[in-house]
Amino acid sequence: MILTFLISTIAVLLAAYLLPGIYVDGFLWAFMVAVVMGLINLVVRPVVDFLSLPANVLTLGLFTFVIDALMVMLAGWVLEPHFTVSGFWWALLFSIVLGLLVSLLNMLFNRK
């Protein structure tokens, strides 16, 4: 589990480095972003997914990207001075880049 958070932390740092609309205040706060995102995905995400099911069906699943961006913006709001997101489009791009980086790092470390 610690390796999962470390991989997510590295991915958050890389994504923040690549995207000028995202700011993270160092390794410790990138770790906190990974923890908060994990908690948001554990607690808030299932409720939002359930409530947005009709919109998700109508958009053939594309509304999931909107939900991902909103979850990133929520994490930015919780960790405000140390993790900032400049807007919805940066949050959307961050969630896509973060997902790709986590997948790439998991492949690199031979994790499934």
Side-chain angles (χ1 to χ4, degrees):
M1 188 162 142
I2 291 175
L3 184 60
T4 301
F5 282 117
L6 287 176
I7 287 174
S8 296
T9 302
I10 292 168
V12 166
L13 282 172
L14 286 172
Y17 177 76
L18 293 172
L19 302 172
I22 304 295
Y23 171 76
V24 66
D25 202 16
F27 185 82
L28 176 67
W29 288 102
F31 182 77
M32 291 302 296
V33 169
V35 169
V36 168
M37 290 289 294
L39 288 173
I40 287 172
N41 284 332
L42 182 69
V43 177
V44 178
R45 179 73 185 250
V47 175
V48 173
D49 280 345
F50 178 74
L51 293 175
S52 66
L53 189 61
N56 231 342
V57 169
L58 286 174
T59 62
L60 302 175
L62 291 177
F63 194 71
T64 303
F65 290 115
V66 173
I67 295 170
D68 289 341
L70 293 175
M71 298 299 117
V72 170
M73 292 179 76
L74 178 61
W77 179 74
V78 169
L79 300 169
E80 180 67 44
H82 304 288
F83 174 64
T84 57
V85 181
S86 294
F88 174 80
W89 296 109
W90 286 114
L92 180 66
L93 192 57
F94 179 78
S95 68
I96 292 169
V97 169
L98 187 66
L100 292 172
L101 287 172
V102 166
S103 296
L104 181 70
L105 289 170
N106 278 329
M107 284 189 332
L108 195 68
F109 290 109
N110 290 326
R111 297 194 60 218
K112 293 185 181 192

